[in-house]
Amino acid sequence: MLNTIYGFFYGFGISLLALLAYFLREWRDLVLYSNLLLLGFICLLWFLPESPRWLASQGRLGEAEEILFYLGRRNGVTPVTYDMVSLRGMSNVASTNDVQKGSVLDGFRTREMRRRMLILMFIWMVSTMSYFGLTIGSSNLGGNMYITVALSGLIELPAKVIGGMISTRFGRRIAVTSCMMLCGVCCLAVIFLPRMQDGDMSSTQTTIAMIAKMGVSAAFNIIFLYTGELLPTVIRSSTFSFCSMTGRIAGIIGPLIASTLGDNIVFLIYGTTCIIAGIVSIYLPETLNQPLPDTVADVENQALQLTEKYKMKEN
């Protein structure tokens, strides 16, 4: 639910940017006023607590217990005692003497982690490239460019809801696969649909392109949650950031493709890569209602258990 709400603001932000661009026709003014809004995020440093799970994985049990105690009181749990939130003595919690620290390189040292990282990196690259490419390219879909860009943001709202419902009911893997495949098929369909006589995109093509934007925006939203659930706690921050970084690099390429190549080639690239990403996502494990891995060893053990489970089914 929180992931869906977060996605709403992404869509609202695109529509708000289109509204600002309508009144601020000078691009320097648009960059200035849109980025001034980001200064408010500095205040979050004083209001957002650190993750208790991460603190516990780093052996900082006292800080983790303080935050759990605070959260219990804020959530109306009464009475809250420190014994209720004590983490000491638990078998799955690290002590200060056996803290496991790692880096992004640990995401590539073992077989299962390496497989997950490579698949996630590819999905991030394709989804980010297609998402920003379709968002910025929506100004070329015909009609008033401010309206089409605003609509491309508003169309994300139902996409986030539908994607969230699919991921909650049927699982993250099915949600990512189906949404990426939807985007890919729609992008390829745009190529074969007839254009208007003046060469602009027809209303049918625009509608199909918007459906493609719905698919990739839903997948883009789910992949944030799915990536965090697939990666272990001790290196989740660094590996998640690395996946996001590869996606942002592709996000730079997406708008360049949309502005330099012909529409058919652009939709061909988006369509084929999204279909491939949807296919490879099938090889990721499902994380719905599954315990989160804390260490790289947990990830490898999960893969071993799944392998043994499939072997038992075959026999």
Side-chain angles (χ1 to χ4, degrees):
M1 177 61 70
L2 290 177
N3 194 56
T4 302
I5 295 174
Y6 163 77
F8 280 171
F9 289 97
Y10 230 102
F12 276 126
I14 294 173
S15 300
L16 179 61
L17 181 64
L19 181 64
L20 287 174
Y22 180 79
F23 291 103
L24 302 172
R25 300 301 176 94
E26 172 60 42
W27 70 269
R28 293 179 179 84
D29 294 334
L30 177 63
V31 171
L32 173 63
Y33 288 105
S34 60
N35 282 278
L36 282 176
L37 300 175
L38 298 176
L39 294 177
F41 285 97
I42 299 176
C43 302
L44 296 179
L45 293 173
W46 287 273
F47 295 99
L48 286 180
E50 186 55 84
S51 166
R53 189 183 187 94
W54 180 83
L55 289 172
S57 71
Q58 301 301 303
R60 297 159 62 178
L61 302 183
E63 297 176 61
E65 291 169 353
E66 287 289 341
I67 293 175
L68 289 173
F69 183 82
Y70 167 77
L71 294 176
R73 294 182 58 184
R74 289 297 302 267
N75 289 329
V77 179
T78 54
V80 183
T81 64
Y82 281 99
D83 290 335
M84 295 172 59
V85 298
S86 177
L87 302 174
R88 304 173 196 279
M90 296 179 65
S91 59
N92 61 336
V93 174
S95 66
T96 54
N97 296 325
D98 60 357
V99 173
Q100 298 186 38
K101 296 184 179 181
S103 66
V104 67
L105 296 177
D106 294 318
F108 299 93
R109 297 189 194 280
T110 60
R111 180 178 180 181
E112 178 61 18
M113 274 302 307
R114 183 164 54 249
R115 189 176 70 89
R116 291 190 185 188
M117 283 293 294
L118 292 175
I119 294 176
L120 286 172
M121 287 165 58
F122 181 72
I123 296 174
W124 269 88
M125 291 176 67
V126 172
S127 60
T128 309
M129 177 185 68
S130 302
Y131 176 82
F132 287 107
L134 289 173
T135 299
I136 297 176
S138 60
S139 59
N140 300 322
L141 294 179
N144 187 292
M145 66 176 180
Y146 299 102
I147 295 177
T148 54
V149 172
L151 287 176
S152 74
L154 293 176
I155 203 70
E156 293 188 24
L157 305 186
K160 308 296 186 185
V161 175
I162 296 172
M165 292 172 61
I166 296 174
S167 66
T168 301
R169 185 173 180 86
F170 300 103
R172 323 308 193 198
R173 180 174 56 187
I174 293 178
V176 172
T177 300
S178 58
C179 290
M180 293 299 291
M181 294 291 285
L182 173 64
C183 177
V185 171
C186 288
C187 285
L188 294 179
V190 171
I191 300 174
F192 300 101
L193 291 172
R195 289 176 172 267
M196 297 177 65
Q197 293 182 352
D198 58 1
D200 290 338
M201 282 194 174
S202 63
S203 57
T204 304
Q205 286 180 302
T206 302
T207 302
I208 299 299
M210 287 295 180
I211 296 176
K213 175 65 187 304
M214 288 182 64
V216 74
S217 62
F220 192 55
N221 194 51
I222 299 167
I223 199 65
F224 274 87
L225 175 64
Y226 197 22
T227 302
E229 292 176 343
L230 285 169
L231 301 175
T233 303
V234 291
I235 56 172
R236 182 171 296 134
S237 178
S238 58
T239 50
F240 189 105
S241 299
F242 190 80
C243 290
S244 180
M245 181 195 70
T246 58
R248 305 308 168 180
I249 294 174
I252 298 173
I253 299 173
L256 293 177
I257 293 175
S259 61
T260 56
L261 301 178
D263 290 339
N264 288 344
I265 298 178
V266 169
F267 281 105
L268 178 63
I269 294 173
Y270 295 162
T272 52
T273 54
C274 283
I275 290 176
I276 295 173
I279 294 173
V280 299
S281 64
I282 298 174
Y283 295 96
L284 290 172
E286 181 54 62
T287 59
L288 179 63
N289 299 326
Q290 298 296 319
L292 296 179
D294 285 322
T295 64
V296 175
D298 291 341
V299 172
E300 299 301 320
N301 290 333
Q302 286 179 353
L304 182 61
Q305 291 173 4
L306 287 174
T307 302
E308 293 176 349
K309 181 179 179 181
Y310 289 140
K311 288 182 178 179
M312 292 177 61
K313 285 184 177 181
E314 291 177 356
N315 297 330

